[in-house]
Amino acid sequence: MKAIILSAGEGSRMRPLTLTKPKTMLPVAGKPIIQYNIESLRNNGIIDILLIVRYKEEMVRNYFGDGRDFGVNITYKTQKDFLGTANAISYGEDFIDESIIVLNGDIILDDEVIGEIIEKYNEEKPDTLMVLTEVEDPSAFGVVEIENGYIKNIVEKPKKEEAPSNLVNAGIYIFNKDIFDKINRTEISERGEYEITDSVSLQIEEGKEVKGYKTSKDWIDVGRPWELIEVNESLIGDLKTEIKGIVEGGAFIHGNVHLDEGSIIRAGVYIEGNVYIGKNCDIGPNSYIRGNSYFGDNVHVGNAVEIKNSIIMENTNVSHLSYVGDSVIGSNCNIAAGTNIANLRFDNATIKTKIKDKKIDSGRRKLGAIIGDSVKTGINSSFSPGVKVGFNSTIGSGVLLYDDVPSDTRVLVKQNHIIQDKKVKR
């Protein structure tokens, strides 16, 4: 069996983090999202992997190369146009031998889930195995009508009261070669894409064996910025202590900490693990690092900083006397002295944030800021819970930020009023 991982899209719901990185390359607990699936496939004996790429594909290609360093054989194909999942999978027609497992690159499946799916397919050898998940309200999904394990129909986004079941398509499949015949005969949908569910429906119409399977374990879907924090919380919980750098006397570590080569934890630092610290980081002195925090390579955390449950990407500085709570901060940022990123509303209500210009409830009582790459803050600036700051923007000294800020924008305080203007783009 071989594998296809779909990694062509940007992931617009993850903006501003994906303005400079493809979603599948966003880091959690020390690795890009997509790497977890590559390693799980490898651990289940699947080493021939085709990556379908397009958006900022050079980042994926440069990181994984031919896969040799990860124990797999990786080849790449560039999806020429964003024409849907069936179109993306069609690039694997010359790659398949007998069967192929197809995964989205922005979900995380552990070894057990992938092993269970493969075992189920090998036991029954249907033409298609579609992995299903159960939801409370199926009206926003492709819902399956299932009988004795066989899928009889797929209904796209039915009214809740008309849905044939609460089982929906999870976007994980195992196909044999027949699927490529059906993809070639699939017509473009109303939204201008070739839908893989339409291809599977052609199989059903022709009497092919299409089986649905609900796994015994759940997996992690990373679609929105706060879900990046949640998946980091989950995966970093499995961290084991590994100290490759230096821990000075007078530093206190409770819980598990990964400290990579060239990094130093200075005197007076108090860590409540689990915490992941990458290469060549400088932490402290006298900082408080709280559980589930992740620091990429070359991160500097200054004196008397508190960081809680946050992702700080590579080459970012968090200067002295700052607080960062339940946040994601991109690469190459400078968080100036006295910056405070709040993560809790006065009324303790769950925090809403904008996704594609719509306010969405994150369901989290604590959520700080989502900050894109190359952002700079001024001294004593403050961020309200749930705000987003775009790539290459500047938040001036003393600003109290209540609203999202676009990319390449400068926010200043002038005569007791907050003003925004466009910066000169790099």
Side-chain angles (χ1 to χ4, degrees):
M1 187 179 292
K2 295 183 178 181
I4 296 177
I5 303 180
L6 307 180
S7 184
E10 171 195 343
S12 56
R13 291 183 301 165
M14 293 290 284
R15 291 178 181 171
L17 303 173
T18 52
L19 293 173
T20 47
K21 300 179 179 76
K23 179 170 66 169
T24 59
M25 291 301 291
L26 293 173
V28 287
K31 301 174 188 176
I33 292 169
I34 194 173
Q35 186 174 336
Y36 288 93
N37 285 343
I38 289 173
E39 292 176 349
S40 290
L41 288 167
R42 177 200 65 202
N43 295 343
N44 280 282
I46 298 178
I47 61 171
D48 293 316
I49 300 172
L50 173 63
L51 297 187
I52 308 299
V53 294
R54 184 180 178 190
Y55 178 75
K56 298 193 181 297
E57 63 182 87
E58 68 282 354
M59 295 185 71
V60 183
R61 290 175 180 266
N62 291 341
Y63 185 89
F64 290 106
D66 62 7
R68 189 179 313 167
D69 292 342
F70 301 87
V72 294
N73 304 316
I74 295 178
T75 53
Y76 301 86
K77 287 195 178 178
T78 301
Q79 189 177 13
K80 294 177 182 178
D81 297 292
F82 292 127
L83 290 176
T85 304
N87 174 254
I89 295 170
S90 73
Y91 286 81
E93 185 168 7
D94 296 331
F95 181 72
I96 189 174
D97 286 336
E98 295 181 359
S99 59
I100 200 156
I101 183 169
V102 178
L103 312 173
N104 287 317
D106 57 357
I107 61 175
I108 294 179
L109 298 163
D110 67 17
D111 294 1
E112 290 184 34
V113 173
I114 288 183
E116 187 178 322
I117 295 166
I118 293 170
E119 182 180 2
K120 183 67 175 178
Y121 178 84
N122 287 335
E123 283 177 358
E124 304 188 12
K125 293 290 186 183
D127 293 286
T128 288
L129 180 71
M130 177 188 291
V131 178
L132 308 175
T133 188
E134 192 167 1
V135 296
E136 185 176 330
D137 181 2
S139 59
F141 301 92
V143 185
V144 302
E145 181 181 345
I146 195 164
E147 184 179 309
N148 298 323
Y150 291 94
I151 295 175
K152 298 300 183 183
N153 193 21
I154 304 171
V155 183
E156 286 295 332
K157 299 181 180 180
K159 293 180 180 179
K160 186 175 181 180
E161 61 275 12
E162 297 175 359
S165 73
N166 278 22
L167 292 172
V168 303
N169 175 19
I172 305 163
Y173 311 89
I174 299 181
F175 298 116
N176 64 19
K177 290 183 178 182
D178 177 74
I179 194 63
F180 294 101
D181 171 67
K182 303 305 181 288
I183 289 173
N184 292 332
R185 292 162 47 198
T186 297
E187 297 180 356
I188 200 162
S189 68
E190 290 183 0
R191 61 176 186 168
E193 295 186 356
Y194 295 96
E195 314 283 357
I196 192 61
T197 49
D198 289 345
S199 306
V200 173
S201 293
L202 287 175
Q203 288 187 309
I204 295 169
E205 289 172 13
E206 291 189 2
K208 299 295 184 182
E209 289 192 352
V210 178
K211 300 214 73 171
Y213 179 63
K214 184 178 182 298
T215 68
S216 61
K217 286 188 66 176
D218 291 328
W219 57 91
I220 307 171
D221 189 359
V222 189
R224 297 167 294 188
W226 61 85
E227 291 170 347
L228 197 66
I229 296 173
E230 290 168 0
V231 69
N232 190 67
E233 291 170 349
S234 175
L235 294 174
I236 218 166
D238 298 327
L239 196 68
K240 305 299 181 187
T241 292
E242 187 174 17
I243 305 296
K244 298 179 181 178
I246 297 171
V247 180
E248 290 187 345
F252 295 88
I253 296 177
H254 300 272
N256 291 309
V257 171
H258 174 95
L259 182 70
D260 218 325
E261 297 171 354
S263 293
I264 183 168
I265 297 172
R266 298 190 179 275
V269 172
Y270 192 98
I271 295 180
E272 290 180 344
N274 292 357
V275 170
Y276 184 101
I277 301 171
K279 293 181 173 68
N280 303 314
C281 295
D282 192 335
I283 312 297
N286 305 315
S287 297
Y288 181 26
I289 311 299
R290 298 168 64 183
N292 303 322
S293 290
Y294 163 79
F295 304 130
D297 296 342
N298 305 303
V299 167
H300 177 258
V301 176
N303 176 57
V305 170
E306 181 178 350
I307 297 177
K308 170 193 175 281
N309 194 30
S310 294
I311 295 171
I312 315 293
M313 297 186 198
E314 70 275 6
N315 304 310
T316 285
N317 298 323
V318 182
S319 301
H320 50 284
L321 303 170
S322 295
Y323 173 76
V324 178
D326 297 271
S327 298
V328 182
I329 300 178
S331 307
N332 304 301
C333 294
N334 191 71
I335 308 301
T339 298
N340 284 290
I341 300 178
N343 60 346
L344 181 67
R345 290 169 52 108
F346 285 132
D347 60 4
N348 276 324
T350 54
I351 294 166
K352 296 180 179 180
T353 190
K354 280 186 181 178
I355 303 292
K356 294 186 175 181
D357 297 322
K358 291 183 180 180
K359 279 280 191 180
I360 303 294
D361 191 340
S362 69
R364 292 181 65 94
R365 192 173 67 92
K366 292 187 177 182
L367 178 64
I370 309 298
I371 296 176
D373 289 355
S374 302
V375 168
K376 293 179 173 60
T377 73
I379 59 170
N380 299 322
S381 54
S382 298
F383 294 71
S384 294
V387 297
K388 297 162 74 177
V389 180
F391 164 73
N392 194 37
S393 288
T394 300
I395 310 302
S397 301
V399 168
L400 175 55
L401 194 67
Y402 286 101
D403 298 311
D404 291 357
V405 176
S407 296
D408 297 298
T409 300
R410 180 168 44 206
V411 181
L412 304 170
V413 174
K414 187 175 181 181
Q415 296 177 347
N416 296 321
H417 295 283
I418 291 179
I419 61 169
Q420 291 189 24
D421 65 356
K422 281 290 183 182
K423 296 167 63 178
V424 177
K425 291 187 178 182
R426 295 182 178 180

